[in-house]
Amino acid sequence: MEYDHGSVYKQRMTSVICDDSARPAISARYLSIQDRVTIADGLTVRDSLRTIATRLGKNVSTISREVRGHSIDGRYFPYQADRVAAAARARPKQSKLVSNAVLRAEVENGLARKLSPEQMGLLKVWLTSRLDKFQEG
């Protein structure tokens, strides 16, 4: 893709060398850079999303969301999509249960009382709002 002039792909993306050997392996649950390049190649030759999904062994809705969510002006950019997805997966901060001992103790108490996940979620929201107010004042 030539970004300056907005021209379309001149060659398949698989003909471009993709060295991701230094990157950590991710779960098969996520699309890899190779999957994204395969999607770009399929779109280049105008394969249907269903055909691309079958080729990758993924659900067609996964491919549809990927293309819709990472296309710019109707063009899919696999390397940019991979960078955005990697940034979205990153968790630079600790969870509230790790960083807040009071909240963790209350959640453990709720688990001991055999509260459901829905009840625990409501308890966590309620406790978090109370703790935020407590810390402010």
Side-chain angles (χ1 to χ4, degrees):
M1 183 76 177
E2 188 175 321
Y3 292 94
D4 295 333
H5 302 293
S7 62
V8 295
Y9 295 114
K10 301 290 185 192
Q11 59 187 356
R12 285 184 169 214
M13 293 299 295
T14 51
S15 65
V16 178
I17 296 173
C18 172
D19 181 21
D20 62 348
S21 58
R23 298 173 56 164
I26 60 171
S27 168
R29 183 179 141 197
Y30 301 107
L31 291 173
S32 67
I33 185 63
Q34 290 85 4
D35 293 340
R36 289 185 170 93
V37 168
T38 301
I39 292 169
D41 284 345
L43 294 172
T44 300
V45 295
R46 299 191 184 275
D47 285 340
S48 70
L49 295 181
R50 191 167 303 281
T51 302
I52 296 168
T54 302
R55 187 177 301 135
L56 291 173
K58 303 284 185 184
N59 194 301
V60 67
S61 64
T62 301
I63 306 305
S64 174
R65 279 192 306 273
E66 173 71 14
V67 171
R68 188 174 55 246
H70 296 290
S71 291
I72 300 170
D73 295 331
R75 293 193 180 101
Y76 178 73
F77 302 100
Y79 293 98
Q80 181 175 347
D82 194 63
R83 285 191 302 273
V84 169
R89 282 192 307 269
R91 289 285 305 179
K93 62 181 182 176
Q94 290 185 327
S95 73
K96 289 185 179 183
L97 290 178
V98 172
S99 62
N100 192 323
V102 174
L103 179 62
R104 181 177 177 83
E106 288 298 323
V107 170
E108 286 175 352
N109 183 25
L111 289 173
R113 293 180 8 223
K114 300 188 188 250
L115 295 178
S116 71
E118 291 82 10
Q119 291 168 320
M120 291 300 299
L122 290 174
L123 176 66
K124 182 179 174 187
V125 169
W126 180 78
L127 283 171
T128 302
S129 68
R130 298 233 7 203
L131 288 170
D132 289 343
K133 287 179 185 176
F134 176 74
Q135 291 170 353
E136 288 173 3

